[in-house]
Amino acid sequence: MDAPAPQPVPLSATMPLPAPPIPAAPVEAAAYGAPVRGSSAHPGYAATPGWPAAPAPQNVLAWVSLGLGLGGVMFGLLTSVPAIVLGHIARRQLRERREQGDAAALTGLISGYVISALWILGIAAYVLFLVALFGAVAVSSGVGSAV
């Protein structure tokens, strides 16, 4: 009454084994001056033929500078001045460490300077408006006139 247990079938009998991987041959020359894989002519390619290198790490201060510079629209000098300081620090680190994020640091610097200048001009215009307003009120009321 008991059926015999099925016997396992070896894998080699049912399917073929995969072929061993073929190593990639290095590319010796590329057309029209394109960078050659495996050479140091292009920083995005590693010395191992056919395998790209890991990208350079991002500089965190560059991205913080960008965020603070754009936040200056809302928060004024409170964030645009630190954006300028961090942008300069990030640009120096980018040159020394060869990291990525130069565009973010430069954008943070430019937006920090522009927004700071706009806020300072706005505050100066407001103060001049108040001086002119109080001067006009004083002249119309006769305050300070010797009659």
Side-chain angles (χ1 to χ4, degrees):
M1 304 241 169
D2 287 329
Q7 296 296 324
V9 179
L11 285 177
S12 61
T14 58
M15 65 178 75
L17 293 175
I22 300 172
V27 178
E28 293 299 324
Y32 304 109
V36 177
R37 282 186 183 235
S39 71
S40 61
H42 192 278
Y45 290 98
T48 306
W51 293 95
Q58 295 282 334
N59 188 303
V60 176
L61 287 182
W63 291 100
V64 172
S65 171
L66 174 65
L68 289 173
L70 296 178
V73 173
M74 187 126 183
F75 299 107
L77 297 173
L78 185 65
T79 60
S80 62
V81 171
I84 295 169
V85 173
L86 290 178
H88 282 292
I89 293 171
R91 300 245 333 178
R92 188 188 71 237
Q93 286 181 354
L94 288 167
R95 283 190 302 271
E96 292 172 355
R97 300 178 187 175
R98 300 197 185 274
E99 294 175 329
Q100 292 183 354
D102 189 47
L106 187 61
T107 305
L109 263 174
I110 292 171
S111 62
Y113 276 122
V114 168
I115 292 172
S116 294
L118 290 175
W119 273 93
I120 290 171
L121 287 174
I123 291 170
Y126 181 69
V127 168
L128 288 176
F129 171 74
L130 289 178
V131 167
L133 180 67
F134 288 129
V137 169
V139 168
S140 66
S141 66
V143 177
S145 60
V147 177

